[in-house]
């Protein structure tokens, strides 16, 4: 965020007393063990969450104002070698990037500092060879992308009037740096605009927006000039599904823009968010599961009267219930993540004063929110992930009080339900929405406190009578699952349903089907789904248990388990599909005995050709009586 805007926001917040937003009972966060943690002081840097060392457990990174990079394990303990001291000069820092820069299948940490340098550190806190790299001015923040698909990752950072393109070893890419007409207003975004599978680098400077090709030259149609200064990073997304990428930006005049791939303004845009300046990047995701993206902008980082939250369709129409006015200052970007367990993302915003608010797609405040945080003076965007790897969603917030807070949300962790989970969309900070809009899972199982917890979502209907839950056990003589009616659930005016089955025994596999019943007598059946009750943790029978690293660049490991009786073989298939359901490749197709296995995918199709960046689905099918198991994976090139 621009330093002048940050200072202005702090002054305004110090002298103006505002009502809480919106009126609701404050909820206390359920902190994970070991959290909150003390992480230096004064955070403008947004946290990043990923598995840095490849051990299957995620770490949390944040950069403090004093120049030290902090890295914590899932229990809030500093990782050996951290905090890592880089430069003595204090000042505003960029948000850290987590990426495999040296090709060792471990993640390195990259960030810009107030001494005008880019730092790249390994998982032990030591600088990589060739780093740090000194730039002409303070870098606004780096983004990482694979420009060539065979030479490794490239790094892009805006500093002063230049945009730098660097190889992973710190050397300059040919044709870079590119020059801007004014000082860069924020970090770059990186992604393919025109559909030729060659990324562009998009940067705002003053009221101009520029797009550069891989050679460092301006792309045709760029730069373009907007109605006022831009002080935030761009967001990139194919909002209309035509295979080309649009650029989302807001201006200090409160105008929300969507630019086409060639720099022209998309029909229906710009849209105004009142008089509040837009100083944070937009967020993008499918709120309904209907295949249509919602574009979310927030304005008001310096406004005396609070902030405005806008949610728009691709053609610029406000969603019903929006815009929303929030009477507290918001200086951080919004997120889209499922925090109530209904399988659909909510809009998350954090206020400067230390409250986290979640809004439904209707504009209503989500049950259990707002949450009152420990810290205040929050200008950095939170992150959503599964920090402790317990299968449930966690929220990470850094504040200027020096707190790094991690607390649990009431939702099972499913990446597809979190379309925009951290600043710039991902821990490469590309600013690019990688997934096409896709339907969310409507029926999910999990284990809590020894019982099986069922959740599902459906919009209210006048002709629906209610729901019936069928529970089954396998007859190992015949191999068939025998079902009986467990419970009847009445129709309700809300769209989220849940049921807890406490009649379970540890180690037993249970099957569930959900029946939707209508006045006409018609019945829709969902499932079956299988789960094993195992003392508070759950894993599916014949299921994909883990995919790592995820997102990945070169290769991903798909861990899976095949169930069944001892010495019995089961025909097992592991397949990769794109987001449209097209089969990309079969990784495994053979008979397997019960046990744990790992399959590897190198991001190529059945013919050995590399596939494009994006969201893919890996699916396991094992035997006729076990339901398929799927997980979402993200490839970033």
């Amino acid at each position: 965020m621009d330093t002048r805007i940050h200072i202005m926001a702090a002054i305004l917040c110090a002298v103006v007393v505002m009502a809480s937003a919106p009126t609701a009972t404050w909820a206390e966060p359920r902190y994970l063990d070991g959290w909150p943690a003390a992480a230096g002081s004064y955070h403008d840097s947004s946290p990043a969450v990923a598995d840095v060392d490849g051990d299957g457990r995620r770490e949390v990174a944040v950069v403090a104002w004093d120049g030290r990079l902090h890295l914590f394990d899932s229990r809030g303990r500093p990782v050996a070698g951290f905090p890592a001291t880089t430069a003595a000069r204090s000042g505003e820092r960029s948000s850290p990037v987590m990426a495999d820069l040296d090709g060792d299948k471990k993640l390195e940490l990259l960030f810009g500092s107030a001494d005008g340098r880019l730092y790249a550190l390994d998982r032990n806190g030591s600088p990589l060879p060739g780093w740090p790299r000194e730039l002409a001015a303070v870098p606004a923040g780096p983004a990482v992308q694979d420009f060539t698909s065979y030479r490794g990752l490239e790094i892009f950072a805006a500093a002063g009037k230049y945009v730098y393109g660097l190889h992973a070893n710190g050397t300059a890419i040919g044709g870079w740096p590119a020059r801007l007409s004014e000082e860069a207003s924020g970090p770059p975004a990186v992604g393919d605009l025109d559909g030729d599978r060659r990324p562009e680098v998009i940067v705002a400077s003053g009221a101009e927006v520029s797009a550069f090709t891989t050679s460092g030259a301006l792309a045709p149609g760029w730069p373009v000039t907007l109605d006022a200064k831009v002080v935030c990073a761009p967001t990139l997304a194919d909002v209309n599904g035509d295979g080309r990428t649009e650029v989302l930006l807001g201006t200090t005049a409160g105008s929300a823009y969507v630019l086409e791939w060639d720099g022209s303004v998309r029909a229906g845009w710009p849209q105004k968010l009142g008089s509040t300046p837009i100083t944070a990047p937009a967020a993008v995701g499918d709120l309904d599961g209907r295949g249509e993206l919602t574009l979310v902008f927030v304005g008001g980082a310096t406004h005396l009267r609070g902030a405005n939250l806008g949610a728009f369709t691709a053609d610029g129409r406000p969603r019903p219930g929006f815009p929303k006015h929030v009477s507290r200052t918001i200086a951080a970007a919004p997120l889209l993540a499922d925090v109530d367990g209904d399988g659909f993302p909510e809009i998350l915003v954090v206020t400067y004063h230390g409250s986290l608010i979640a809004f439904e797609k209707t504009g209503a405040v989500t049950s259990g929110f707002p949450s009152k945080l420990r810290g205040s003076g929050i200008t950095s965007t939170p992150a959503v992930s599964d920090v402790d790897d317990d299968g449930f969603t966690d929220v990470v917030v850094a504040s200027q009080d020096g707190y790094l807070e991690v607390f649990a949300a009431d939702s099972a962790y499913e990446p597809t339900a979190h379309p925009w989970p951290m600043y710039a969309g991902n821990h490469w900070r590309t600013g690019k929405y990688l997934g096409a809009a896709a339907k969310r899972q409507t029926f999910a199982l999990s284990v809590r406190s020894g019982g099986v917890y069922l959740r599902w979502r459906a919009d209210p209907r006048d002709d629906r009578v209610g729901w019936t839950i069928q529970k089954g056990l396998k007859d190992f003589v015949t191999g068939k699952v025998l079902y009986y009616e467990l419970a009847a659930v009445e129709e309700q005016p809300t769209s989220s349903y849940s049921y807890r089955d406490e009649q379970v025994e540890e180690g037993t596999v249970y099957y569930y089907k959900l029946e939707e019943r209508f006045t006409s007598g018609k019945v829709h059946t969902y499932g079956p789904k299988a789960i094993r009750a195992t003392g508070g943790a759950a894993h599916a029978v014949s299921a994909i248990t883990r995919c790592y690293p995820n997102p990945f660049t070169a290769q991903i490991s798909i861990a899976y388990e095949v169930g069944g009786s001892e010495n019995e073989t089961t025909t097992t298939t592991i397949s990769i599909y794109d987001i449209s359901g097209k089969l990309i490749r079969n990784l495994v197709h053979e008979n397997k005995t019960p046990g744990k296995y790992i399959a590897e995918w190198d991001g190529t199709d059945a013919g050995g050709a590399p596939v494009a960046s994006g969201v893919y689905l890996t699916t396991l099918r094992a035997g006729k009586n076990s339901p398929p198991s799927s997980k979402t994976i993200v490839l970033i090139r």
Side-chain angles (χ1 to χ4, degrees):
M1 185 176 67
D2 187 284
T3 303
R4 290 167 294 176
I5 291 178
H6 163 72
I7 294 172
M8 190 182 299
I11 294 173
L12 291 175
C13 292
V15 300
V16 178
V17 178
M18 301 180 181
S20 63
T23 302
T25 301
W26 292 107
E28 291 295 326
R30 292 183 288 112
Y31 289 105
L32 272 60
D33 290 343
W35 301 93
S41 62
Y42 212 62
H43 296 140
D44 285 315
S45 165
S46 297
V49 185
D51 179 7
V52 172
D53 53 11
D55 65 352
R57 296 184 295 273
R58 295 175 177 89
E59 285 78 34
V60 181
V62 69
V63 183
W65 188 266
D66 60 7
R68 297 194 299 172
L69 187 146
H70 295 259
L71 187 67
F72 294 91
D73 67 13
S74 61
R75 296 181 64 85
R77 299 169 300 196
V79 173
F82 292 89
T85 302
T86 54
R89 181 179 174 184
S90 63
E92 192 167 359
R93 259 71 181 181
S94 67
S95 300
V97 168
M98 292 174 160
D100 181 8
L101 298 179
D102 57 7
D104 66 351
K105 297 186 179 180
K106 306 290 191 301
L107 302 184
E108 283 72 48
L109 300 146
L110 178 74
F111 68 100
S113 186
D115 62 354
R117 296 179 179 180
L118 272 180
Y119 288 87
L121 308 178
D122 66 18
R123 60 187 178 279
N124 301 312
S126 302
L128 294 183
W131 297 90
R133 175 65 189 266
E134 192 163 345
L135 308 182
V138 176
V144 169
Q145 183 58 279
D146 187 351
F147 250 37
T148 61
S149 77
Y150 64 89
R151 290 182 179 174
L153 302 181
E154 284 78 32
I155 300 157
F156 298 90
K161 293 186 177 181
Y162 293 93
V163 184
Y164 291 84
L166 304 171
H167 293 295
N169 62 5
T171 60
I173 301 172
W176 298 82
R179 187 173 175 84
L180 302 168
S181 60
E182 297 185 44
E183 289 192 359
S185 302
V190 188
D192 178 14
L193 293 184
D194 53 10
D196 65 355
R197 296 198 175 186
R198 290 179 293 181
E200 282 76 32
V201 179
I202 300 89
V203 183
S205 56
E208 274 191 356
V209 186
S210 301
F212 297 96
T213 66
T214 54
S215 64
L218 282 167
W222 303 85
V224 297
T225 302
L226 307 186
D227 66 355
K229 186 176 181 180
V230 179
V231 293
C232 60
T235 294
L236 310 180
D238 179 5
V239 300
N240 59 355
D242 65 353
R244 292 174 173 175
T245 298
E246 285 72 43
V247 180
L248 286 60
L249 282 163
T251 70
T252 53
S255 301
Y257 278 87
V258 176
L259 306 177
E260 300 282 3
W261 63 275
D262 60 359
S264 59
V265 179
R266 180 170 171 78
W269 299 87
Q271 291 291 330
K272 294 289 288 186
L273 276 184
S275 59
T276 55
I278 299 173
T279 61
V284 181
D286 178 7
L287 299 187
D288 305 294
R290 298 175 179 174
E292 298 178 356
L293 295 181
T294 295
L295 319 181
V296 180
F297 294 82
V298 63
T302 64
H303 207 267
L304 288 170
R305 298 175 182 175
N308 290 325
L309 181 67
F312 301 93
T313 63
D315 57 6
R317 291 180 289 110
R319 288 189 60 106
F322 290 91
K324 297 291 295 184
H325 181 71
V326 181
S327 57
R328 284 184 178 266
T329 301
I330 297 175
L335 299 180
L336 300 182
D338 175 22
V339 291
D340 64 357
D342 63 0
F344 292 81
E346 285 74 47
I347 300 171
L348 288 156
V349 293
V350 62
T351 70
Y352 184 89
H353 301 75
S355 57
L356 181 71
I357 312 172
F359 293 94
E360 298 291 328
K361 64 180 182 180
T362 60
V365 177
T366 301
S367 176
F369 288 87
S371 292
K372 181 60 180 174
L373 306 176
R374 185 78 56 86
S376 62
I378 300 174
T379 58
S380 65
T381 304
V384 172
S385 186
D386 181 7
V387 173
D388 56 356
D389 201 32
D390 66 347
F392 290 89
T393 300
D394 304 313
V395 182
V396 183
V397 182
S399 67
Q400 291 184 4
D401 294 337
Y403 287 112
L404 187 60
E405 306 179 47
V406 181
F407 52 90
D410 189 23
S411 63
Y413 182 68
E414 172 54 53
T416 56
H418 307 311
W420 201 261
M422 64 183 70
Y423 180 80
N426 51 69
H427 55 72
W428 278 22
R429 310 297 194 188
T430 61
K432 175 73 181 288
Y433 176 70
L434 295 172
K439 271 201 169 184
R440 306 292 176 225
Q441 191 174 18
T442 57
F443 176 33
L445 305 178
S446 60
V447 168
R448 287 187 182 181
S449 302
V452 174
Y453 198 68
L454 293 83
R455 285 196 183 96
W456 65 99
R457 178 185 175 90
D459 291 333
R461 287 181 56 158
D462 293 336
D463 62 340
R464 185 188 294 124
V465 176
W467 307 81
T468 301
I469 300 171
Q470 298 286 338
K471 181 178 180 180
L473 289 168
K474 180 178 285 189
D475 183 344
F476 287 98
V477 176
T478 64
K480 294 182 179 180
V481 178
L482 305 178
Y483 289 91
Y484 65 95
E485 182 175 327
L486 173 65
V489 179
E490 295 181 354
E491 173 72 353
Q492 59 189 39
T494 62
S495 57
S496 298
Y497 295 80
S498 64
Y499 181 85
R500 184 186 297 275
D501 178 17
E502 297 180 345
Q503 303 303 313
V504 297
E505 294 182 4
E506 184 173 345
T508 301
V509 176
Y510 296 95
Y511 296 78
Y512 294 88
K513 291 193 295 187
L514 183 66
E515 295 179 340
E516 182 181 23
R517 299 186 176 274
F518 298 90
T519 55
S520 63
K522 190 175 182 179
V523 176
H524 290 167
T525 301
Y526 304 90
K529 290 181 178 291
I531 199 165
R532 177 181 287 125
T534 55
H539 66 274
V541 176
S542 293
I544 296 173
T545 56
R546 187 166 161 258
C547 300
Y548 59 94
N550 192 17
F552 73 105
T553 59
Q555 183 167 285
I556 188 169
S557 297
I558 301 165
Y560 63 99
E561 182 174 345
V562 176
S565 302
E566 187 176 359
N567 298 323
E568 178 186 42
T569 61
T570 302
T571 302
T572 303
T573 303
I574 296 280
S575 304
I576 304 293
Y577 297 88
D578 66 15
I579 199 68
S580 69
K582 177 184 176 183
L583 176 64
I584 300 299
R585 182 176 174 181
N586 284 326
L587 300 180
V588 175
H589 184 69
E590 58 190 66
N591 290 330
K592 296 279 190 182
T593 57
K596 297 180 180 180
Y597 301 89
I598 293 178
E600 307 280 355
W601 185 42
D602 60 1
T604 61
D605 61 18
V611 299
S613 298
V615 176
Y616 293 86
L617 194 70
T618 176
T619 298
L620 164 70
R621 292 179 176 85
K624 296 180 180 179
N625 296 319
S626 181
S629 172
S630 299
K631 282 191 179 294
T632 302
I633 56 178
V634 179
L635 170 63
I636 305 178
R637 293 196 182 278

